[in-house]
Amino acid sequence: MSDFEITRETSGSKGRYVIRQGGEEAELTYSITSPQLVIADHTGVPDSFRGTGAGLALVLRLVADARAEGFKVMPLCPFVNAQRKRHPEWADVFAV
């Protein structure tokens, strides 16, 4: 997996993690329902990012932030939910 610079952007009750590379963006979007709960709703990775681990890197950042800031994640995004199932060590941050 490559090392990516991941930016976190928040506006009101919406936010996203984004990786910019070669004029394109990979993103994981979320909704903030309360200070204790974030809903991961979409992960979008352009074809140019496929196979680079960008999607997993975005989820890893979400998990790290959830632990550091004390919020739980509801994985409505199919990709985030699939990664949750593959990583039982992340159980502490998911609200399922």
Side-chain angles (χ1 to χ4, degrees), residues 3-7 18-20 61:
D3 288 327
F4 295 103
E5 182 178 329
I6 300 172
T7 304
V18 62
I19 298 169
R20 292 178 178 89
R61 173 67 187 273

Side-chain angles (χ1 to χ4, degrees), residues 7-89:
T7 304
R8 183 177 182 184
E9 301 172 351
T10 306
S11 178
S13 64
K14 298 286 187 185
R16 73 180 187 147
Y17 294 95
V18 62
I19 298 169
R20 292 178 178 89
Q21 185 173 289
E24 294 191 288
E25 295 182 343
E27 69 174 0
L28 187 162
T29 62
Y30 59 88
S31 299
I32 303 166
T33 61
S34 75
Q36 295 82 31
L37 183 65
V38 165
I39 298 171
D41 44 34
H42 175 73
T43 303
V45 178
D47 288 342
S48 64
F49 284 80
R50 301 246 185 250
T52 65
L56 178 58
L58 292 166
V59 179
L60 283 167
R61 173 67 187 273
L62 172 65
V63 168
D65 285 354
R67 285 184 175 142
E69 298 171 26
F71 61 84
K72 297 287 187 183
V73 177
M74 178 67 65
L76 292 186
C77 166
F79 180 77
V80 174
N81 196 39
Q83 291 300 317
R84 172 192 66 85
K85 291 176 182 176
R86 288 186 189 136
H87 296 275
E89 69 274 18

